[in-house]
Amino acid sequence: VLYRLVYDLLRLVGLGFMIPRIVTIGQQSDGKTTFLEAMLRLCFGYTRNGAAATKGPVRIDVKNDESSPTPRCQLNQEHIRLAAIQGRMRELMEHRSLSKEETHLEISYSGAPNLMCVDLPGIVQETGDTTREDVELTMDVVRHYVRHSPNDLYLVFKRADVDPGTWPIHDFIQSLGLHREQTIVACTRAENFLRENRVIYKTELLKLIKQKRVHDCSGEPIPMYFVELHNLSDQEKALPFAERTAVMEGQLAARRLDILDRLNKLENGAATDEDTTELYRYFDVESLEAHLNATFRRLLLRQLHALKSSLTSLLNELTSRHQVMTRQMEKIAPLTLGDLIERIVDLLDDTAQKLFNGEHPLMTEAFIAQHGARLEDDLGHGEDLARRIFRQ
């Protein structure tokens, strides 16, 4: 909750970029949005198979709301049902071109994590339906976001069953300037990868895995994990929230057991205990979640420390400016502004009293003769006037 409060306050003054968010990068159909669903335990499914559902970054704000057992949703501040997100998103995107502008999706429900994610548009592949210009446009949107959000945690997605030598955005990822301390690679379709690579020994599989490493801007390997995600049918997506979530979690659990079973069937051969631990870690979802949490906390603490330093410097600067202004005011009047105001009020009060009593120097004989002076004289004249007007 504190994380969200700090972010919202800083965003109001243009400093929202200092607080990290979880951001997904990858090609179309690499599983970016599906992974977010699995991580949030929430199937919102705004993407469409075979095409990009968005033409710009989608900011997903998830909030805990104990009063709401079922999700409450807003899309660009418009209240909608969870089941209507996909259709409404499609309507929005059909009337806009590729843009760097964020679309805001807010979802709140009981037990939800207080988390902010950004789903960047999938980088299109150059095919018969798309051109090199289309590819460059999506890359430009991603590049622009990373350049203006250097403190976020980036999840880079790639399909595990794609040959590493043919992954078209490897050089692009390196060009973004990301470091391994803020980046994690998630290789999706892990089960297909294991099925297609029918190795016998653990060391053989470990070698194939290391060939798929992605490197950061310094040439260092980025931490990498292999995941298998859910795939709900249209009928399952139409189920009520609780049932749909149960089906999604059931699929995830079953597929993880299948992967574990395949790993257990591999022979040790020359594999050491360290090799076995490393191999299982690549496919361990709990290790991925722990790594994600630890990295996010580290980035958040680093940014809060930097924010504290920035605010301290700003306070010192404002204090210095105040002192300069105070010295300048003292040259004009030796009194402080508060003292000066108090002195003026006292002077006005004293002047009013003297005018009322006829004791002010302004009250010359000519002025008194024309306008009257003391209260007693004025009352006497008033009584005479009243008698003349109201004669009995």
Side-chain angles (χ1 to χ4, degrees), residues 168-185:
I169 65 170
H170 183 274
D171 293 341
F172 171 69
I173 296 300
Q174 279 192 307
S175 72
L176 293 175
L178 300 175
H179 295 272
R180 68 189 311 271
E181 292 80 10
Q182 66 176 136
T183 315
I184 298 174
V185 174

Side-chain angles (χ1 to χ4, degrees), residues 114-360:
N114 287 291
L115 193 63
M116 283 177 289
C117 308
V118 178
D119 191 11
L120 295 180
I123 299 171
V124 300
Q125 302 181 51
E126 190 173 355
T127 63
D129 297 328
T130 58
T131 64
R132 185 61 193 172
E133 183 180 3
D134 296 326
V135 177
E136 290 297 333
L137 282 173
T138 52
M139 285 184 172
D140 186 53
V141 171
V142 174
R143 191 181 293 112
H144 178 272
Y145 182 89
V146 174
R147 186 184 304 121
H148 290 83
S149 305
N151 304 310
D152 288 347
L153 192 164
Y154 288 90
L155 280 170
V156 177
F157 287 81
K158 61 178 293 189
R159 286 175 50 175
D161 56 350
V162 173
D163 184 77
T166 60
W167 192 44
I169 65 170
H170 183 274
D171 293 341
F172 171 69
I173 296 300
Q174 279 192 307
S175 72
L176 293 175
L178 300 175
H179 295 272
R180 68 189 311 271
E181 292 80 10
Q182 66 176 136
T183 315
I184 298 174
V185 174
C187 297
T188 57
R189 306 195 184 188
E191 199 169 7
N192 284 354
F193 168 70
L194 294 175
R195 189 183 301 113
E196 293 174 2
N197 293 279
R198 298 181 178 277
V199 297
I200 299 175
Y201 299 106
K202 293 178 180 178
T203 50
E204 293 178 302
L205 182 59
L206 201 54
K207 182 178 179 180
L208 290 173
I209 289 173
K210 292 180 179 181
Q211 290 176 354
K212 294 186 175 294
R213 283 177 173 170
V214 180
H215 297 81
D216 68 4
C217 60
S218 302
E220 294 294 323
I222 299 173
M224 182 173 63
Y225 295 87
F226 287 71
V227 296
E228 185 65 35
L229 302 173
H230 59 281
N231 183 22
L232 301 186
S233 66
D234 291 338
Q235 288 181 332
E236 290 168 333
K237 290 178 181 178
L239 292 172
F241 170 67
E243 295 179 39
R244 182 167 65 251
T245 302
V247 171
M248 179 182 69
E249 293 182 341
Q251 286 189 7
L252 291 171
R255 292 179 178 184
R256 289 167 188 167
L257 287 175
D258 289 342
I259 289 175
L260 185 61
D261 183 60
R262 289 179 180 275
L263 295 178
N264 289 337
K265 290 179 179 178
L266 294 174
E267 296 184 19
N268 286 326
T272 63
D273 291 341
E274 289 77 9
D275 291 334
T276 301
T277 300
E278 182 182 8
L279 177 63
Y280 278 81
R281 184 194 60 79
Y282 279 115
F283 294 89
D284 185 10
V285 175
E286 291 183 357
S287 294
L288 168 58
E289 292 177 348
H291 191 161
L292 189 65
N293 289 333
T295 303
F296 186 80
R297 287 197 194 98
R298 186 171 63 251
L299 289 174
L300 180 59
L301 289 174
R302 185 190 71 183
Q303 289 309 113
L304 290 177
H305 179 73
L307 178 63
K308 177 184 177 182
S309 300
S310 298
L311 293 177
T312 301
S313 299
L314 179 60
L315 178 61
N316 291 337
E317 182 182 352
L318 292 175
T319 302
S320 176
R321 290 184 180 182
H322 178 264
Q323 292 172 348
V324 171
M325 292 180 66
T326 300
R327 287 195 294 269
Q328 291 175 345
M329 288 294 297
E330 288 175 350
K331 291 180 181 179
I332 300 173
L335 301 175
T336 65
L337 183 60
D339 292 338
L340 186 60
I341 293 173
E342 185 177 355
R343 182 67 62 84
I344 291 173
V345 171
D346 291 341
L347 182 61
L348 289 173
D349 180 64
D350 181 64
T351 301
Q353 289 291 339
K354 288 182 178 180
L355 284 171
F356 182 78
N357 296 327
E359 299 173 354
H360 195 276

Side-chain angles (χ1 to χ4, degrees), residues 5 16 31 73 83 91 108 116 151 331 360 382 385:
L5 179 61
C73 307
E91 292 175 7
S108 58
M116 283 177 289
N151 304 310
K331 291 180 181 179
H360 195 276
L385 178 62

Side-chain angles (χ1 to χ4, degrees), residues 81-109:
R81 295 178 297 106
L82 181 65
I85 290 178
Q86 184 175 10
R88 187 71 187 98
M89 183 74 78
R90 185 182 298 116
E91 292 175 7
L92 285 175
M93 297 306 143
E94 284 177 349
H95 297 91
R96 64 181 287 190
S97 57
L98 193 65
S99 170
K100 301 177 180 69
E101 182 182 353
E102 288 186 359
T103 299
H104 184 199
L105 175 62
E106 183 177 305
I107 305 175
S108 58
Y109 59 96

